[in-house]
Amino acid sequence: SFELKAELFKLPSIQECMGGLYEVDPIVLNQAHEDFEYAFSKALESILLEFFNAHEHQENRAIRALKNVCLQYLMKAAPQNFASRCWAYFESAKNMTNRVAAFYAMMQTKDDVLKQKICTVFEKDWSNNELVMDKWFYFQATQKGKDVLERVQHLLNHPLFHWTNPNKVRMLISA
């Protein structure tokens, strides 16, 4: 099934990779994870693009799951070639699943302008929905880049962040 393929294509998170290990250099592990993810994305780029193109406008839940995994890998493989397409996918999304998948894919690139743009639009559209904004905090805290710590520190002063809200703390600090 497409859902099973989507799950099989997802790489384990950094936290999952650290599980059961006693001594881990998180910087080395993160770099190895990024290198593998990039190599995997490049090796399968044409297959991922073919599937995404064939199913971009299909809304079947199982197909959507695999299509969104393909989107994330395509943004890893060639963000400079796929960013405008990912942005269009974000803007035309008819459901939150697709919108969040495109948001996440853009946040995992090294394009700071694109990340700032998507964060601004997403915040404008969803600032009145606390649960959706939890994802906004999480994606900023887990984005790729060297300034993530500064970004998280800045977000601690955001009007929607509250130390008394465990979800907000978990999404921004624990992430």
Side-chain angles (χ1 to χ4, degrees):
S1 90
F2 290 114
E3 281 178 307
L4 177 60
K5 288 178 184 173
E7 284 303 311
L8 290 172
F9 271 90
K10 290 180 187 174
L11 292 181
S13 69
I14 297 290
Q15 293 82 359
E16 290 170 323
C17 291
M18 291 172 60
L21 300 175
Y22 296 106
E23 290 186 33
V24 177
D25 182 333
I27 294 171
V28 171
L29 178 60
N30 185 61
Q31 189 61 54
H33 192 271
E34 282 188 34
D35 291 347
F36 181 81
E37 201 168 31
Y38 176 75
F40 185 79
S41 300
K42 287 305 279 184
L44 297 176
E45 185 176 2
S46 62
I47 295 167
L48 298 168
L49 184 57
E50 182 179 331
F51 184 86
F52 187 84
N53 286 339
H55 301 288
E56 181 175 5
H57 301 291
Q58 293 184 17
E59 294 302 325
N60 172 286
R61 185 179 59 130
I63 291 173
R64 185 173 59 213
L66 184 54
K67 173 181 64 171
N68 288 337
V69 169
C70 290
L71 174 71
Q72 290 168 14
Y73 282 124
L74 288 165
M75 284 297 288
K76 292 273 184 204
Q80 68 283 3
N81 298 336
F82 209 71
S84 62
R85 181 99 179 263
C86 190
W87 185 267
Y89 185 75
F90 173 81
E91 287 186 315
S92 67
K94 293 178 176 45
N95 58 63
M96 183 58 82
T97 302
N98 290 352
R99 197 164 174 97
V100 166
F103 178 33
Y104 179 75
M106 287 185 259
M107 290 302 292
Q108 297 308 308
T109 70
K110 294 179 181 174
D111 185 336
D112 291 332
V113 173
L114 178 64
K115 290 192 291 189
Q116 183 58 48
K117 181 179 174 185
I118 193 70
C119 283
T120 301
V121 170
F122 200 87
E123 179 183 18
K124 183 177 134 296
D125 290 350
W126 295 100
S127 62
N128 63 345
N129 186 316
E130 281 207 39
L131 293 175
V132 175
M133 289 304 291
D134 284 348
K135 289 187 181 301
W136 183 79
F137 281 111
Y138 178 80
F139 290 157
Q140 290 186 79
T142 59
Q143 68 181 289
K144 301 295 181 196
K146 295 181 187 213
D147 65 340
V148 176
L149 181 57
E150 291 83 14
R151 185 73 182 146
V152 169
Q153 289 170 333
H154 175 74
L155 288 169
L156 293 174
N157 297 315
H158 192 281
L160 294 177
F161 178 80
H162 304 288
W163 282 104
T164 56
N165 183 322
N167 282 342
K168 295 286 185 273
V169 172
R170 186 170 45 89
M171 291 297 172
L172 189 57
I173 306 298
S174 298

